[in-house]
Every structure is written in structure tokens, then in C-alpha cells.
Amino acid sequence: MSRMNVGPVRAFNMMREILGGFEEVGATREDFKNYRKKHNSSIGEYDAQMAVDHLMRKKEYMPNFSCEYITDDQNCLRGLFWADELGKKNYHIFGDVMSFDATYRSNKYSMVFVPFTGIDNHCSNVTFGAALLGSETTESYVWLLKCFLKAFIKQPQVVVTDQDPAMTKAIELVFKESRHRFCMWHIMNKLSIKVGVRLCNCTDFKKDICNIVWTDAISPEEFDARWKEIIVVHKLEDNNWLHDIFGKRESWIPAYYKDELLSGLMRTTSRSESENHFFGQLCNPRSTLVEFLSHYETAMESQRHTHRKNDHDTRFTNPELKSLWWLEAEAAKIFTRTTFLDIQQEMDMMRKLMCQTYYPVEDDFMKYHIKDWTQMTSKPFEVFSFCFHAVMFRQSDMTIYCECRRFESFGLFCRHIFYVLRQMDIREFPKKYVLRRWRRDVVPNSSNRNDDTIYVQALDDGGRVLMRDIMYANEYILNKLSGNMAELSLYKEHVQSYMQKADNVDFVPPPPAKRDRFGELTGTSQNDRLPIRVPLGYKTKGSGSHKRIKMG
């Protein structure tokens, strides 16, 4: 029961209830406590070595499992990173936007726990990999991100973190191709502290700021003008903090990145905060590293079970349709249940829209002006004014976009686009606007296996990317065509023709096992080296103070 972070007393009480009485347990409450103490005592100073060995054995025997660690001059553990094949598969599909944040009090050595988190096709958290760090320095985060890049090969498109300077510098040095964004919530949460509680609570300052910060319905130029106006009205020209965050506005204000695809999918580190809470339920600050890894693996089993359940519910149950519209029925067959319910809500809101005018424009587009009775304008001095949104539609190639930019932000159509599609009696969902990450079949049924081959490990980075793309594409095609025997037969013939070509290629035998290669190169075994020591003396931001409070 320790895998579920159940203490000895609770474990004893649970066994008593399950077995039907004290006499049936076969041990006392003290026996349970003593066993826990003896167990931790037997681990002792070998805790770090046992944790590393546990992950390194996985790296040796589990296909495409990654594990890296680093020690200091005294051979004390400074950092530990790991990721398995399923986490890498999930990153390949859902790694376009990623968040990572450090959480504290997850083990007895105050090492910070850093999970890498994304959003899956059910809008749930998905963990790609994780790490333990002994310190939160730029050097530590640079090492961590290099390990991540070595394991996952490609950089995420967007990384969301808090304003930690060490994280920021490390991302700048390693993730050079990624867009780094700051968590909006962390910044806005400091507002009352930095400008004063009285100003925030007794004036319209906070309301005015929130109206331009939490919206992407304004342009960067309009944001700049209204920000400066608010600062002047409330006489905050000399506030250095406001001046500093305004200078970094491109990294956290939606108006500045609303044109980027999936820009609204993750604007805060709330996903990481939620992930930290999820893991925190199975961890405690008294855990050894061995216990922590056991708790982590239990949490990952739970997360992946939830994903499989969501997949099962999507594939084998039918949602209730609210209309007879063709596109609603088709959307239910394309998207996951969670995504479809979001789309269905947008479709339902079409009844609160009205087309004011429409007329042809250049390049064969039709321009529609849609009045939205559900949205009020965010512009000042316009009381009870409803929003208008322009939708551009070209039927010849099914090109459509709306100035509300919901598709650009989340990868899903808005109610204004659905309104136009219904007016035009479109009966097929435009395929080019169906993002693969939201499809119900994006994760093949067989993707819960960690059955990669040794050939993938033997290739260089480019070869591994190519091989993995081919394997994912093959799984995707087989799941997609599973009910079409004619297409499956054609695909089989196509694959068999390539098999004949492969027979004529010179066979390259796989490399020897990692254990054998290690022995050949060094002539030693793992037992020949000094054990990795447990981390001592590290001080992190969240470790708190251990000073006893003096009574007056």
C-alpha cells in the first residue's frame, strides 16, 4: 500500500476492515510501523543509488526509455531525469504546447519535482517526462532541458512557465526555436501587492487592467494605448514593476501572440499546478527517493488508465445530439467526447447570432458580418454594445476564418463560423480544419504498449524521428481503415511491395545489448563504482525554514 502513499497506521486499519477483525490481520499496528522503519533503514544512504539503478535498469531493458543523472564532486545526486516510450509518443502528438513547473516537499531531501505537462485530445493533462533537481539554478535547468531535448529530439512550439529567472535563461539557451511565454495568472496575482490593495479594491484599476489583459479581442496597438491611459489615470507612471511587465508584454499578453496557432490552449501554468497537485496526493515530504519513484509510477498508471477510459468512452458510446444538422453528427464521429461537447456548445450558441450583412470581396471570398448577442464589446464608453465579427468564406476550396480567432487560439471552430456554414448548407466538415491532436483516433489502440525496437535506439536523431513517424503513421492508418476491408487490402499490397524492396537491401545486424557494450568498453560492471550518495545540504525556494518559532 506504500505505492499509494498509505501510511502504516492507515494500512493496518484498512487490512483490519478488509479481513474482518484485528485477529485476522496477523500483525499489530506497531508491527506495521516497525516494518516501515526497518524498510527505510535498509535503504539508508543507498537511497539515491537504488533510485538511479531502478531507472537505469528500465533504460537497459525497456525499449526507448531515457534516463540521465548528474552528481556533484562528492558523488551526491544533483539531478535525475527520466521518460518512457509512451511519454515520447504522447509528446510526438500533443507536444505542441508544454508547461513545466517545480513543485516542492515531494521527498525527504527537498529535491524539487519537475514534471513536463501537455494537453491530450480529451483536454486532460498528459505527462511527457519528469525530473528531480537538487537546486534551481540556471545550470541545473540547462542540464535538464538538454536531457529533455536528447530524449524527445524536437523542441516544443510553446513553453509556458512562471517568471523564474533560472528557467527563463535556461529556455533561452536550450529551446532556441520555442516560444517562451510567462504564466498570466502568476503575474496578475501579484497586482495587489505591487500597486497596493486599496487601489485594486477601491477603484476601477483592477477591472480596467483585466479588461485588456485577459482578452485577445484587441490589437497590440490598442493594448499599448489603453495600458498607458490606465497608468496615467491612476497616476502609476513611477511604478517600476508595472513598467517591467509592460516591457515583457510580448511574452504574456494574448494580444501579442493571438495569431499563433493554439495560442490560447495554455496561457497559465495551471496545468502544471494541477499536475503537481495530482502527484502531491501520492507523495509526501518524508518519502525516500525509492518510495517517490514508486508513487510516481502509481500516479502515471492512474493517469494513463483515465486516458484509456476516455478513449474507450469516445469510441464505444454515442453522445446525445441536440439537432439534426449534418455537421453535428459528423463532428461526433471525428472528435473525442470532450472536444465534441465543446463544439456542440458552440453550435448551440448559433441561435443567439444574426447575420447583419454579407457581400463578395476579392479572391472569391464572401464576407459576413455576424452580430453576437452573447458577447459585449470590451471597448470603453460603449455601454450595452454587442460585438460584431467578420467571417470570410470561400466555398470553392472551403477556406474560412473568423476575426474572433478561436480556431487560431484553440484549433476549434467558433459559433460564428458554424453559423455561416449552416447558412450555406455545408454538409461535410472541412477536413483541413480538423486538427489531428483533437481527433478521437489520434492515439492508436496499440499505443499503450512500450514495444519499440532496438533499431530506433541505434539510429541518430534524424533517423529516430523518421522511424518514429513511420511507426506512428502505420498505427494511425491501421486504426483508421480497420472497418474498410477494401482499403486495408490495398494498403497491404502497398506494404508488401515495399517488403520485396527491403529484401534486396543489405541486412545490418542490430548492435549488441547495452550491458555487453558497456562491459566491452570499460571492462567493469556497475557494482565496481562507488554508490551515488543521497543529496544533502541543498536549499530550494520552496523548502521553507526549519527554525523553531520562539515564544514571546
Side-chain angles (χ1 to χ4, degrees):
M1 292 186 182
S2 63
R3 286 176 59 87
M4 296 298 298
N5 194 27
V6 176
V9 175
R10 288 184 63 191
F12 173 80
N13 291 333
M14 291 171 66
M15 292 295 292
R16 184 197 65 194
E17 291 296 326
I18 292 172
L19 297 176
F22 289 97
E23 297 81 4
E24 303 299 327
V25 176
T28 66
R29 184 183 287 106
E30 293 302 318
D31 291 335
F32 273 65
K33 289 182 179 180
N34 291 335
Y35 177 82
R36 174 70 176 271
K37 292 178 181 178
K38 290 179 181 179
H39 174 72
N40 290 343
S41 178
S42 65
I43 294 175
E45 63 180 1
Y46 294 97
D47 187 17
Q49 184 66 61
M50 292 173 69
V52 170
D53 286 345
H54 173 70
L55 294 177
M56 294 304 288
R57 279 194 297 271
K58 286 191 172 187
K59 182 177 181 179
E60 184 173 358
Y61 294 112
M62 291 180 63
N64 214 17
F65 186 94
S66 293
C67 174
E68 304 288 341
Y69 67 92
I70 185 172
T71 59
D72 60 16
D73 295 338
Q74 284 75 43
N75 206 33
C76 291
L77 186 66
R78 285 179 51 201
L80 181 62
F81 166 82
W82 65 95
D84 63 8
E85 169 64 11
L86 186 52
K88 294 179 182 181
K89 286 185 176 182
N90 286 331
Y91 179 78
H92 179 81
I93 301 170
F94 307 118
D96 38 21
V97 182
M98 183 182 75
S99 169
F100 71 95
D101 189 24
T103 185
Y104 312 99
R105 300 178 63 78
S106 61
N107 57 84
K108 65 188 294 185
Y109 309 108
S110 297
M111 295 187 78
V112 295
F113 173 53
V114 187
F116 294 88
T117 307
I119 302 174
D120 68 10
N121 53 338
H122 302 283
C123 267
S124 298
N125 288 349
V126 57
T127 304
F128 305 131
L132 288 168
L133 293 178
S135 60
E136 294 178 272
T137 62
T138 300
E139 180 186 6
S140 296
Y141 281 119
V142 165
W143 172 83
L144 174 58
L145 296 185
K146 285 183 177 179
C147 291
F148 181 93
L149 199 54
K150 179 181 177 181
F152 292 92
I153 302 173
K154 68 174 184 178
Q155 301 178 20
Q157 296 176 24
V158 176
V159 182
V160 182
T161 70
D162 60 20
Q163 290 179 280
D164 182 86
M167 279 187 186
T168 301
K169 185 63 176 177
I171 291 172
E172 179 184 335
L173 293 173
V174 182
F175 286 170
K176 298 180 180 180
E177 300 173 6
S178 301
R179 174 70 185 267
H180 182 208
R181 296 210 302 260
F182 294 136
C183 169
M184 297 174 63
W185 182 86
H186 275 95
I187 294 176
M188 294 300 290
N189 195 44
K190 300 175 183 176
L191 197 62
S192 59
I193 300 174
K194 298 297 184 178
V195 303
V197 176
R198 184 174 181 179
L199 181 63
C200 286
N201 295 341
C202 301
T203 68
D204 292 333
F205 170 74
K206 189 172 184 178
K207 177 183 175 182
D208 294 341
I209 284 289
C210 288
N211 282 341
I212 63 172
V213 165
W214 292 102
T215 180
D216 54 8
I218 61 177
S219 66
E221 294 77 17
E222 186 177 356
F223 171 83
D224 289 356
R226 291 172 62 179
W227 175 282
K228 292 175 182 177
E229 179 183 349
I230 293 170
I231 297 300
V232 171
V233 168
H234 295 281
K235 301 178 181 179
L236 293 169
E237 296 92 332
D238 296 330
N239 189 294
N240 293 330
W241 182 78
L242 289 174
H243 179 76
D244 180 58
I245 62 170
F246 179 75
K248 299 175 181 177
R249 60 193 181 280
E250 293 183 2
S251 296
W252 68 284
I253 294 298
Y256 278 87
Y257 54 76
K258 64 181 181 180
D259 292 335
E260 299 176 11
L261 186 61
L262 300 177
S263 60
L265 195 59
M266 192 183 295
R267 293 179 176 175
T268 71
T269 57
S270 59
R271 290 283 177 173
S272 287
E273 302 286 349
S274 172
E275 190 85 332
N276 293 343
H277 174 72
F278 167 69
F279 284 111
Q281 293 177 311
L282 294 172
C283 301
N284 67 72
R286 299 180 300 278
S287 295
T288 63
L289 296 181
V290 173
E291 288 177 317
F292 172 81
L293 289 179
S294 177
H295 298 160
Y296 171 84
E297 290 167 359
T298 300
M300 290 304 299
E301 289 174 8
S302 173
Q303 183 187 92
R304 290 170 178 177
H305 170 76
T306 300
H307 181 87
R308 290 193 297 270
K309 182 181 182 301
N310 290 337
D311 272 351
H312 180 274
D313 292 344
T314 293
R315 287 186 170 108
F316 299 105
T317 61
N318 297 317
E320 180 182 355
L321 302 182
K322 295 184 178 180
S323 72
L324 299 177
W325 190 28
W326 300 86
L327 289 194
E328 183 181 5
E330 188 177 6
K333 298 176 182 178
I334 295 174
F335 298 99
T336 62
R337 177 63 50 81
T338 305
T339 308
F340 169 72
L341 292 177
D342 180 272
I343 291 173
Q344 189 180 54
Q345 183 178 8
E346 289 296 308
M347 290 180 173
D348 188 53
M349 297 301 288
M350 288 190 302
R351 56 190 173 85
K352 297 184 179 181
L353 306 179
M354 182 176 67
C355 181
Q356 292 288 94
T357 59
Y358 65 94
Y359 48 86
V361 292
E362 60 184 6
D363 296 330
D364 297 325
F365 277 97
M366 290 291 294
K367 187 172 185 178
Y368 298 80
H369 289 277
I370 310 297
K371 187 173 185 177
D372 192 338
W373 298 94
T374 67
Q375 296 178 353
M376 303 290 292
T377 181
S378 62
K379 295 181 180 180
F381 312 118
E382 294 186 15
V383 183
F384 302 113
S385 178
F386 295 98
C387 286
F388 281 85
H389 295 282
V391 177
M392 303 288 286
F393 178 52
R394 184 169 60 199
Q395 191 167 358
S396 59
D397 60 354
M398 295 302 293
T399 298
I400 189 167
Y401 57 89
C402 177
E403 68 177 8
C404 79
R405 311 196 70 80
R406 187 174 191 268
F407 180 81
E408 287 75 12
S409 295
F410 304 101
L412 298 170
F413 275 167
C414 62
R415 62 196 68 173
H416 317 111
I417 287 179
F418 283 128
Y419 181 90
V420 171
L421 292 177
R422 184 158 192 172
Q423 293 296 312
M424 296 300 296
D425 195 28
I426 302 300
R427 301 192 175 191
E428 183 178 359
F429 215 99
K431 294 294 188 292
K432 62 182 178 181
Y433 295 106
V434 178
L435 295 192
R436 186 166 174 260
R437 72 164 350 272
W438 296 126
R439 295 185 67 101
R440 62 194 298 166
D441 52 8
V442 67
V443 180
N445 291 332
S446 58
S447 284
N448 289 317
R449 305 192 313 265
N450 285 327
D451 57 354
D452 206 352
T453 64
I454 195 168
Y455 295 101
V456 175
Q457 297 176 342
L459 296 171
D460 58 18
D461 287 351
R464 287 166 61 195
V465 172
L466 182 61
M467 181 75 83
R468 193 172 296 136
D469 286 345
I470 293 172
M471 290 189 295
Y472 294 164
N474 185 59
E475 287 184 349
Y476 178 80
I477 291 171
L478 291 177
N479 279 271
K480 190 70 175 174
L481 301 180
S482 59
N484 192 326
M485 297 304 296
E487 290 294 332
L488 277 175
S489 298
L490 291 175
Y491 183 66
K492 177 184 175 182
E493 294 175 3
H494 182 70
V495 172
Q496 286 180 336
S497 67
Y498 268 86
M499 289 173 64
Q500 294 175 359
K501 292 181 181 180
D503 289 338
N504 298 323
V505 177
D506 292 335
F507 174 71
V508 179
K514 289 189 175 181
R515 174 182 290 178
D516 298 334
R517 286 182 304 188
F518 184 82
E520 290 174 2
L521 292 171
T522 64
T524 61
S525 65
Q526 289 185 336
N527 293 329
D528 295 331
R529 54 184 168 82
L530 293 174
I532 299 172
R533 299 170 58 194
V534 296
L536 298 173
Y538 291 128
K539 184 73 173 178
T540 57
K541 291 185 298 184
S543 57
S545 174
H546 299 286
K547 294 181 180 179
R548 178 175 295 178
I549 299 176
K550 296 181 179 180
M551 302 299 292

